[in-house]
């Protein structure tokens, strides 16, 4: 037990020199301290007003030794903090390996909500964006890739595309990887993978080679988005021998590539996804992230990796305080999602963006996912202003309780046709037949054998179309908009209220990103100074959005 805490505090703040003022006098009042904290791009000095007086912050001036003082005004120096740039918040290897200026990623948003325009804007700003390929057909994905390459050039700024695990459409997943390799897509965000398959392994290791100096060069970079330690372990380990052998046997990897792969993790960039919009395990970042770091370190030691493995943070990152917290946990980079969906470059309709801009923290709900409906997997969506969450759950409850469309009680079927489908089940099935005849005929064959699967496809039509209605802004189906969203959207709206970012038409992905990073640097500096004994005012931990060049 400390008998004299005041003496202990004084002992921890012993001067290490003296500071002589220049253009600015030291800041000791709350208002002056708040201004000093915001000056993150220059060194600051922690000083005392007198040997026993207030602790404050000084800018500029000169640091001297005691024997250099010749009667000029000086202050006892307690410490110096170097300049802090937003570019420096993450792991330097992340920006170096990927050729970026900022440790910031805009994650993929399915059905092209993360548009080619959004990807291009991020790349030109020195950040990384992943085009939202999930849910799109191959032709639409190819068009987007061509648009991005035309805008940025084959050797231009860094960008990437989403690679979604599609258990119901394995051919599409395979064709997407084939397209990426053909078109030179070098970075892919792997999402919804609970395990590895030959396609994700093929992308990860294609083109890997040993350079003349002995170093390993990886042409492709896989970003694995995970929320469970056991899934992280699969991506942080070399691919299983049986998968590598399958890739070699099918001509997807050369023998040399497979041999090098046996000593490399599948992914060297792991994104830890906490509570977020869309697919989520609703895990808190502060609990999950350190666990994944431990898995990374354990497997790196086990396999003797010499190359750095970077772990980024995602989920709930919509304010400077949250971004600063993620970096303080050790995140190599941060990834945002929901906040970008409300930006002007997003593929969501203007009405959908307005709905997002009105969301508050509790305005979200978990509901069945279209792509994994039969497995009972859920996604987090916007609740305010739409009935989708409740109506989708009602469909899943009917699916669980009944074996076919024909076995539904007459009143239940009538309600589904009236509220969700707004047409007969037979009419929806005719649409499904036309769709799957081109997309995946095997689904039709299975539906013919399994009436319950036919019911699932009819219900999935509603879940799939609800996202498209939100993207198109169909006014007749506004009550059925499916808009993926986490509670971070509400936090973002509270942060930007009263600022230039409050109006949806003023929200650009680059301005949102720059303000989040700039604010995170300010919050980080405020915390640093507080650990030095500076009485940092609470207002210094709140960064107000402003147009940033």
């Amino acid at each position: 037990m400390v008998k004299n805490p005041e003496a202990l505090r004084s002992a921890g703040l012993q001067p290490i020199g003296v500071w002589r003022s220049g253009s600015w006098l030291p800041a000791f009042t709350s208002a002056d301290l708040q201004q000093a904290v915001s000056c993150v791009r220059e060194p600051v000095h922690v000083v005392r007003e007198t040997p026993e007086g207030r602790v404050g912050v000084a800018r500029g001036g000169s640091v001297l030794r005691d024997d250099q003082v010749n009667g000029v005004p000086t202050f006892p120096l307690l410490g110096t903090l170097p300049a802090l740039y937003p570019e420096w918040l993450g792991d330097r290897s992340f920006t170096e390996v990927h050729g970026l200026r900022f440790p910031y990623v805009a994650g993929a948003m399915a059905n092209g909500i993360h548009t080619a325009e959004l990807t291009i804007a991020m790349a030109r700003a020195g950040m990384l964006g992943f085009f939202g390929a999930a849910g799109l057909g191959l032709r639409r994905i190819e068009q987007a890739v061509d648009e991005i390459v035309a805008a940025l050039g084959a050797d231009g700024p860094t960008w990437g595309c989403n690679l979604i695990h599609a258990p119901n459409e394995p051919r599409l997943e395979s064709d997407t990887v084939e397209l990426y390799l053909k078109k030179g897509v070098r970075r892919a965000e792997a999402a919804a993978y609970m395990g590895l398959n030959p396609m994700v392994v093929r992308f990860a290791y294609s083109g890997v080679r040993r350079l003349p100096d002995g170093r390993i060069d990886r042409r492709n970079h896989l970003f694995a988005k995970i929320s469970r330690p056991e899934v992280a372990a699969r991506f942080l380990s070399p691919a299983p021998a049986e998968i590598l052998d399958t890739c070699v046997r099918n001509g997807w990897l050369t023998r040399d590539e497979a041999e090098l792969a046996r000593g490399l993790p599948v992914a060297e960039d792991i994104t830890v996804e906490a509570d977020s919009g869309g697919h989520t395990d609703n895990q808190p970042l502060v609990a999950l992230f350190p666990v994944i770091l431990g898995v990374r370190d354990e497997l790196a030691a086990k396999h003797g990796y010499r190359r750095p493995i970077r772990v980024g943070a995602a989920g709930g990152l919509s304010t400077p305080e949250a971004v600063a917290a993620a970096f303080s946990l050790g995140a190599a980079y941060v990834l945002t999602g929901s906040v970008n969906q409300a930006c002007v470059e997003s593929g969501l309709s203007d009405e959908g963006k307005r709905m997002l801009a009105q969301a508050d923290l509790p305005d979200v709900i978990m509901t069945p996912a279209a792509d994994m409906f039969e497995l009972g997997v859920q996604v987090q969506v916007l609740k305010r202003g739409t009935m989708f969450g409740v109506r989708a759950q009602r469909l899943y409850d009917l699916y669980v309780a009944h074996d076919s469309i024909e076995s539904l009680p007459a009143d239940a079927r009538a309600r589904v046709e009236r509220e969700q489908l707004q047409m007969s089940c037979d009419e929806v099935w005719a649409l499904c037949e036309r769709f799957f005849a081109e997309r995946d005929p095997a689904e039709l064959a299975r539906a013919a054998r399994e009436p319950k699967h036919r019911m699932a496809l009819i219900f999935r039509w509603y879940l799939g179309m609800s996202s498209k209605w939100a993207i198109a802004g169909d006014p007749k189906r506004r009550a059925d908009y499916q808009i993926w969203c986490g509670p971070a959207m509400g936090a973002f709206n509270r942060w930007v209220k009263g600022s230039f970012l409050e109006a949806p038409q003023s929200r650009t992905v680059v301005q949102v990103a720059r303000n989040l990073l700039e604010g995170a640097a300010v919050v980080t500096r405020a915390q640093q100074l507080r650990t030095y004994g500076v009485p940092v005012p609470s207002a210094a931990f709140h960064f107000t959005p402003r147009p940033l060049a």
Side-chain angles (χ1 to χ4, degrees):
M1 182 175 178
V2 179
K3 295 182 178 180
N4 191 344
E6 186 60 38
L8 183 59
R9 280 195 293 271
S10 298
L13 295 175
Q14 294 302 307
I16 59 174
V18 295
W19 177 82
R20 181 172 60 191
S21 64
S23 302
W24 295 283
L25 292 173
F28 293 106
T29 67
S30 292
D32 291 340
L33 283 171
Q34 184 174 350
Q35 173 62 27
V37 167
S38 68
C39 300
V40 295
R41 288 176 172 79
E42 59 184 273
V44 294
H45 310 284
V46 181
V47 298
R48 273 197 186 279
E49 189 173 19
T50 64
E52 299 297 329
R54 296 179 296 176
V55 177
V57 177
R59 300 161 56 198
S62 305
V63 175
L64 307 172
R65 298 192 305 270
D66 287 342
D67 58 8
Q68 293 177 312
V69 178
N70 295 309
V72 296
T74 61
F75 297 83
L77 176 68
L78 303 178
T80 295
L81 292 174
L84 173 62
Y85 288 82
E87 291 91 328
W88 298 351
L89 289 172
D91 187 330
R92 301 288 177 89
S93 74
F94 177 78
T95 51
E96 291 170 358
V97 166
H98 299 294
L100 302 169
R101 178 181 174 187
F102 296 99
Y104 187 100
V105 179
M109 296 177 286
N111 290 336
I113 294 175
H114 182 132
T115 59
E117 180 187 1
L118 198 157
T119 302
I120 293 165
M122 293 297 293
R124 287 175 172 165
M127 307 177 201
L128 177 58
F130 287 105
F131 171 72
L136 301 180
L138 202 64
R139 189 178 309 162
R140 177 66 183 85
I141 298 172
E142 184 172 12
Q143 290 173 349
V145 170
D146 289 343
E147 181 181 346
I148 295 168
V149 172
L152 300 177
D155 299 315
T158 304
W159 57 278
C161 287
N162 178 222
L163 177 61
I164 190 78
H165 179 44
N168 294 320
E169 298 180 289
R171 188 182 71 178
L172 178 60
E173 187 175 342
S174 174
D175 290 346
T176 301
V177 169
E178 190 75 45
L179 174 68
Y180 287 173
L181 296 177
K182 174 185 174 183
K183 293 287 186 177
V185 177
R186 299 298 179 218
R187 287 163 180 82
E189 182 189 65
Y193 285 88
M194 297 303 292
L196 302 176
N197 66 19
M199 290 303 101
V200 73
V201 168
R202 178 189 183 189
F203 180 87
Y205 294 118
S206 286
V208 64
R209 58 176 180 154
R210 188 179 297 278
L211 300 174
D213 61 6
R215 291 181 297 116
I216 301 295
D217 175 58
R218 298 190 77 159
R219 182 176 64 178
N220 293 339
H221 300 273
L222 189 74
F223 286 66
K225 186 182 286 185
I226 60 90
S227 56
R228 300 183 184 184
E230 66 273 16
V231 178
R234 295 180 184 117
F235 282 98
L236 290 167
S237 301
E242 58 270 22
I243 295 183
L244 291 173
D245 292 342
T246 297
C247 288
V248 172
R249 191 164 52 249
N250 287 286
W252 297 331
L253 293 175
T254 67
R255 292 191 179 277
D256 287 343
E257 289 169 342
E259 190 58 35
L260 289 173
R262 299 180 197 280
L264 297 170
V266 177
E268 292 181 342
D269 294 280
I270 302 291
T271 303
V272 178
E273 184 178 23
D275 190 15
S276 63
H279 287 287
T280 179
D281 282 337
N282 303 114
Q283 299 285 351
L285 187 66
V286 293
L288 179 62
F289 193 87
V291 171
I292 303 301
L293 284 186
V295 173
R296 186 271 310 268
D297 295 342
E298 178 183 344
L299 290 172
K302 174 182 176 181
H303 296 289
Y305 297 143
R306 296 184 178 181
R307 298 162 58 91
I309 299 176
R310 297 161 292 274
V311 180
L317 304 183
S318 61
T319 63
E321 296 89 340
V323 172
F327 282 123
S328 72
L329 285 171
Y333 58 93
V334 293
L335 182 148
T336 56
S338 295
V339 295
N340 303 320
Q341 191 174 198
C343 290
V344 296
E345 299 90 347
S346 158
L348 190 66
S349 65
D350 289 342
E351 180 60 23
K353 293 171 186 175
R354 282 193 290 271
M355 292 168 68
L356 281 174
Q358 295 171 359
D360 204 350
L361 288 168
D363 292 336
V364 294
I365 188 173
M366 297 299 296
T367 198
D371 55 347
M372 300 182 187
F373 178 80
E374 289 155 285
L375 299 175
V377 175
Q378 293 192 320
V379 290
Q380 189 161 219
V381 300
L382 183 66
K383 179 173 63 174
R384 179 172 180 169
T386 171
M387 294 292 293
F388 169 77
V390 174
R391 289 177 173 177
Q393 185 61 51
R394 189 177 299 141
L395 290 180
Y396 183 74
D397 292 342
L398 290 172
Y399 168 78
V400 172
H402 301 280
D403 293 328
S404 67
I405 285 290
E406 291 71 23
S407 66
L408 292 177
D411 59 338
R413 177 168 177 168
R415 184 177 181 184
V416 166
E417 293 178 336
R418 182 178 65 254
E419 293 185 354
Q420 284 97 326
L421 306 183
Q422 297 190 12
M423 64 178 77
S424 71
C425 291
D426 292 338
E427 289 174 309
V428 171
W429 178 243
L431 296 174
C432 292
E433 285 184 310
R434 287 200 291 271
F435 175 80
F436 286 110
E438 179 181 348
R439 184 78 165 252
D440 190 357
E443 290 283 1
L444 297 178
R446 181 183 172 191
R449 298 189 308 267
E450 304 174 24
K452 194 174 182 74
H453 184 61
R454 180 172 174 269
M455 176 170 57
L457 294 182
I458 292 173
F459 290 172
R460 281 170 52 191
W461 174 88
Y462 170 77
L463 273 67
M465 289 301 299
S466 60
S467 174
K468 294 180 173 61
W469 293 325
I471 292 171
D474 186 342
K476 296 179 180 179
R477 301 307 299 252
R478 187 184 184 280
D480 296 292
Y481 284 3
Q482 178 181 186
I483 301 176
W484 300 300
C485 175
M489 194 71 243
F492 178 84
N493 289 333
R494 284 175 172 263
W495 170 50
V496 302
K497 188 173 180 60
S499 77
F500 83 108
L501 287 177
E502 181 175 6
Q505 61 269 25
S506 300
R507 299 180 183 183
T508 68
V509 289
V510 173
Q511 278 299 320
V512 167
R514 286 175 175 164
N515 273 273
L516 286 173
L517 288 172
E518 185 79 13
V522 171
V523 171
T524 300
R525 170 56 61 84
Q527 177 59 21
Q528 289 174 335
L529 288 169
R530 189 163 69 174
T531 66
Y532 273 68
V534 177
V536 179
S538 61
F541 287 87
H542 303 290
F543 178 84
T544 300
R546 63 206 62 170
L548 296 172

